[in-house]
PDB file of all heavy atoms in Angstrom:
ATOM      1  N   TYR G 309      97.866 123.002 102.865  1.00 98.00           N
ATOM      2  CA  TYR G 309      96.932 124.110 102.941  1.00 98.00           C
ATOM      3  C   TYR G 309      97.742 125.368 103.077  1.00 98.00           C
ATOM      4  O   TYR G 309      97.063 126.512 103.077  1.00 98.00           O
ATOM      5  CB  TYR G 309      96.088 123.856 104.187  1.00 98.00           C
ATOM      6  CG  TYR G 309      95.031 122.860 103.964  1.00 98.00           C
ATOM      7  CD1 TYR G 309      95.258 121.485 104.153  1.00 98.00           C
ATOM      8  CD2 TYR G 309      93.685 123.338 103.712  1.00 98.00           C
ATOM      9  CE1 TYR G 309      94.254 120.610 104.006  1.00 98.00           C
ATOM     10  CE2 TYR G 309      92.719 122.295 103.489  1.00 98.00           C
ATOM     11  CZ  TYR G 309      92.986 121.010 103.563  1.00 98.00           C
ATOM     12  OH  TYR G 309      91.995 120.032 103.463  1.00 98.00           O
ATOM     13  N   PHE G 310      98.970 125.333 103.144  1.00 98.00           N
ATOM     14  CA  PHE G 310      99.752 126.643 103.280  1.00 98.00           C
ATOM     15  C   PHE G 310     101.197 126.358 103.040  1.00 98.00           C
ATOM     16  O   PHE G 310     101.751 125.168 103.199  1.00 98.00           O
ATOM     17  CB  PHE G 310      99.694 127.106 104.800  1.00 98.00           C
ATOM     18  CG  PHE G 310     100.248 128.542 105.029  1.00 98.00           C
ATOM     19  CD1 PHE G 310      99.659 129.584 104.558  1.00 98.00           C
ATOM     20  CD2 PHE G 310     101.438 128.681 105.711  1.00 98.00           C
ATOM     21  CE1 PHE G 310     100.234 130.797 104.625  1.00 98.00           C
ATOM     22  CE2 PHE G 310     101.910 129.950 105.997  1.00 98.00           C
ATOM     23  CZ  PHE G 310     101.372 131.032 105.407  1.00 98.00           C
ATOM     24  N   ASP G 311     101.826 127.182 102.465  1.00 98.00           N
ATOM     25  CA  ASP G 311     103.317 127.118 102.092  1.00 98.00           C
ATOM     26  C   ASP G 311     104.254 127.656 103.246  1.00 98.00           C
ATOM     27  O   ASP G 311     104.868 128.714 103.222  1.00 98.00           O
ATOM     28  CB  ASP G 311     103.643 127.802 100.730  1.00 98.00           C
ATOM     29  CG  ASP G 311     105.088 127.672 100.421  1.00 98.00           C
ATOM     30  OD1 ASP G 311     105.811 126.747 100.999  1.00 98.00           O
ATOM     31  OD2 ASP G 311     105.593 128.421  99.579  1.00 98.00           O
ATOM     32  N   LEU G 312     104.129 126.998 104.328  1.00 98.00           N
ATOM     33  CA  LEU G 312     105.004 127.542 105.527  1.00 98.00           C
ATOM     34  C   LEU G 312     106.372 127.461 105.364  1.00 98.00           C
ATOM     35  O   LEU G 312     107.046 128.420 105.780  1.00 98.00           O
ATOM     36  CB  LEU G 312     104.607 126.682 106.829  1.00 98.00           C
ATOM     37  CG  LEU G 312     105.073 127.171 108.140  1.00 98.00           C
ATOM     38  CD1 LEU G 312     104.781 128.617 108.397  1.00 98.00           C
ATOM     39  CD2 LEU G 312     104.681 126.350 109.236  1.00 98.00           C
ATOM     40  N   ALA G 313     106.915 126.459 104.568  1.00 98.00           N
ATOM     41  CA  ALA G 313     108.336 126.441 104.273  1.00 98.00           C
ATOM     42  C   ALA G 313     108.698 127.691 103.551  1.00 98.00           C
ATOM     43  O   ALA G 313     109.768 128.288 103.828  1.00 98.00           O
ATOM     44  CB  ALA G 313     108.542 125.139 103.547  1.00 98.00           C
ATOM     45  N   GLY G 314     107.891 128.027 102.602  1.00 98.00           N
ATOM     46  CA  GLY G 314     108.270 129.240 101.761  1.00 98.00           C
ATOM     47  C   GLY G 314     108.209 130.460 102.490  1.00 98.00           C
ATOM     48  O   GLY G 314     109.207 131.433 102.424  1.00 98.00           O
ATOM     49  N   GLU G 315     107.161 130.522 103.404  1.00 98.00           N
ATOM     50  CA  GLU G 315     106.897 131.812 104.237  1.00 98.00           C
ATOM     51  C   GLU G 315     108.232 131.903 105.255  1.00 98.00           C
ATOM     52  O   GLU G 315     108.689 133.028 105.517  1.00 98.00           O
ATOM     53  CB  GLU G 315     105.630 131.664 104.967  1.00 98.00           C
ATOM     54  CG  GLU G 315     104.455 131.829 104.114  1.00 98.00           C
ATOM     55  CD  GLU G 315     104.343 133.297 103.496  1.00 98.00           C
ATOM     56  OE1 GLU G 315     104.720 134.185 104.119  1.00 98.00           O
ATOM     57  OE2 GLU G 315     103.800 133.263 102.332  1.00 98.00           O
ATOM     58  N   MET G 316     108.649 130.845 105.823  1.00 98.00           N
ATOM     59  CA  MET G 316     109.668 130.780 106.716  1.00 98.00           C
ATOM     60  C   MET G 316     110.909 131.198 105.986  1.00 98.00           C
ATOM     61  O   MET G 316     111.790 131.875 106.537  1.00 98.00           O
ATOM     62  CB  MET G 316     109.831 129.479 107.490  1.00 98.00           C
ATOM     63  CG  MET G 316     108.669 129.191 108.359  1.00 98.00           C
ATOM     64  SD  MET G 316     108.831 127.453 109.102  1.00 98.00           S
ATOM     65  CE  MET G 316     110.291 127.813 110.124  1.00 98.00           C
ATOM     66  N   ASP G 317     111.180 130.692 104.857  1.00 98.00           N
ATOM     67  CA  ASP G 317     112.280 130.920 104.184  1.00 98.00           C
ATOM     68  C   ASP G 317     112.436 132.456 103.835  1.00 98.00           C
ATOM     69  O   ASP G 317     113.460 133.051 103.929  1.00 98.00           O
ATOM     70  CB  ASP G 317     112.372 130.105 102.693  1.00 98.00           C
ATOM     71  CG  ASP G 317     113.480 130.428 101.926  1.00 98.00           C
ATOM     72  OD1 ASP G 317     114.609 129.898 102.087  1.00 98.00           O
ATOM     73  OD2 ASP G 317     113.487 131.259 100.965  1.00 98.00           O
ATOM     74  N   GLN G 318     111.220 133.093 103.379  1.00 98.00           N
ATOM     75  CA  GLN G 318     111.404 134.523 103.068  1.00 98.00           C
ATOM     76  C   GLN G 318     111.706 135.258 104.265  1.00 98.00           C
ATOM     77  O   GLN G 318     112.453 136.240 104.377  1.00 98.00           O
ATOM     78  CB  GLN G 318     110.066 134.944 102.476  1.00 98.00           C
ATOM     79  CG  GLN G 318     109.756 134.490 101.115  1.00 98.00           C
ATOM     80  CD  GLN G 318     108.441 135.006 100.476  1.00 98.00           C
ATOM     81  OE1 GLN G 318     107.969 136.098 100.889  1.00 98.00           O
ATOM     82  NE2 GLN G 318     107.799 134.178  99.661  1.00 98.00           N
ATOM     83  N   ALA G 319     111.082 134.964 105.509  1.00 98.00           N
ATOM     84  CA  ALA G 319     111.232 135.659 106.650  1.00 98.00           C
ATOM     85  C   ALA G 319     112.637 135.527 107.227  1.00 98.00           C
ATOM     86  O   ALA G 319     113.208 136.522 107.661  1.00 98.00           O
ATOM     87  CB  ALA G 319     110.281 135.138 107.803  1.00 98.00           C
ATOM     88  N   VAL G 320     113.191 134.334 107.284  1.00 98.00           N
ATOM     89  CA  VAL G 320     114.635 134.240 107.723  1.00 98.00           C
ATOM     90  C   VAL G 320     115.587 134.998 106.812  1.00 98.00           C
ATOM     91  O   VAL G 320     116.609 135.450 107.310  1.00 98.00           O
ATOM     92  CB  VAL G 320     114.895 132.690 108.058  1.00 98.00           C
ATOM     93  CG1 VAL G 320     115.225 131.984 106.760  1.00 98.00           C
ATOM     94  CG2 VAL G 320     116.047 132.572 109.049  1.00 98.00           C
ATOM     95  N   ARG G 321     115.269 134.934 105.519  1.00 98.00           N
ATOM     96  CA  ARG G 321     116.234 135.553 104.663  1.00 98.00           C
ATOM     97  C   ARG G 321     116.175 137.099 104.877  1.00 98.00           C
ATOM     98  O   ARG G 321     117.278 137.785 104.773  1.00 98.00           O
ATOM     99  CB  ARG G 321     115.878 135.236 103.067  1.00 98.00           C
ATOM    100  CG  ARG G 321     116.350 133.880 102.701  1.00 98.00           C
ATOM    101  CD  ARG G 321     115.838 133.566 101.386  1.00 98.00           C
ATOM    102  NE  ARG G 321     116.142 132.298 100.934  1.00 98.00           N
ATOM    103  CZ  ARG G 321     117.327 131.832 100.324  1.00 98.00           C
ATOM    104  NH1 ARG G 321     118.292 132.609 100.211  1.00 98.00           N
ATOM    105  NH2 ARG G 321     117.468 130.595 100.105  1.00 98.00           N
ATOM    106  N   ALA G 322     114.945 137.653 105.138  1.00 98.00           N
ATOM    107  CA  ALA G 322     114.766 139.022 105.367  1.00 98.00           C
ATOM    108  C   ALA G 322     115.427 139.361 106.625  1.00 98.00           C
ATOM    109  O   ALA G 322     116.163 140.509 106.658  1.00 98.00           O
ATOM    110  CB  ALA G 322     113.258 139.478 105.489  1.00 98.00           C
ATOM    111  N   PHE G 323     115.347 138.636 107.690  1.00 98.00           N
ATOM    112  CA  PHE G 323     116.144 138.894 108.945  1.00 98.00           C
ATOM    113  C   PHE G 323     117.547 138.858 108.706  1.00 98.00           C
ATOM    114  O   PHE G 323     118.348 139.746 109.129  1.00 98.00           O
ATOM    115  CB  PHE G 323     115.699 137.802 109.967  1.00 98.00           C
ATOM    116  CG  PHE G 323     116.670 137.704 111.087  1.00 98.00           C
ATOM    117  CD1 PHE G 323     116.715 138.635 112.012  1.00 98.00           C
ATOM    118  CD2 PHE G 323     117.447 136.623 111.179  1.00 98.00           C
ATOM    119  CE1 PHE G 323     117.593 138.528 113.198  1.00 98.00           C
ATOM    120  CE2 PHE G 323     118.357 136.324 112.313  1.00 98.00           C
ATOM    121  CZ  PHE G 323     118.373 137.362 113.364  1.00 98.00           C
ATOM    122  N   ALA G 324     118.005 137.822 108.027  1.00 98.00           N
ATOM    123  CA  ALA G 324     119.523 137.672 107.826  1.00 98.00           C
ATOM    124  C   ALA G 324     120.094 138.890 106.984  1.00 98.00           C
ATOM    125  O   ALA G 324     121.129 139.433 107.291  1.00 98.00           O
ATOM    126  CB  ALA G 324     119.869 136.312 107.035  1.00 98.00           C
ATOM    127  N   GLY G 325     119.251 139.246 106.090  1.00 98.00           N
ATOM    128  CA  GLY G 325     119.667 140.336 105.187  1.00 98.00           C
ATOM    129  C   GLY G 325     119.697 141.715 105.961  1.00 98.00           C
ATOM    130  O   GLY G 325     120.757 142.515 105.831  1.00 98.00           O
ATOM    131  N   GLU G 326     118.818 142.016 106.867  1.00 98.00           N
ATOM    132  CA  GLU G 326     118.923 143.137 107.641  1.00 98.00           C
ATOM    133  C   GLU G 326     120.055 143.153 108.682  1.00 98.00           C
ATOM    134  O   GLU G 326     120.612 144.060 109.089  1.00 98.00           O
ATOM    135  CB  GLU G 326     117.469 143.329 108.379  1.00 98.00           C
ATOM    136  CG  GLU G 326     116.451 143.749 107.387  1.00 98.00           C
ATOM    137  CD  GLU G 326     115.179 144.287 108.086  1.00 98.00           C
ATOM    138  OE1 GLU G 326     115.166 144.323 109.391  1.00 98.00           O
ATOM    139  OE2 GLU G 326     114.242 144.653 107.428  1.00 98.00           O
TER     140      GLU G 326
END
Side-chain angles (χ1 to χ4, degrees):
Y309 286 85
F310 189 68
D311 183 19
L312 184 57
E315 295 292 325
M316 292 176 69
D317 180 78
Q318 290 184 30
V320 77
R321 287 177 184 273
F323 162 70
E326 290 193 0

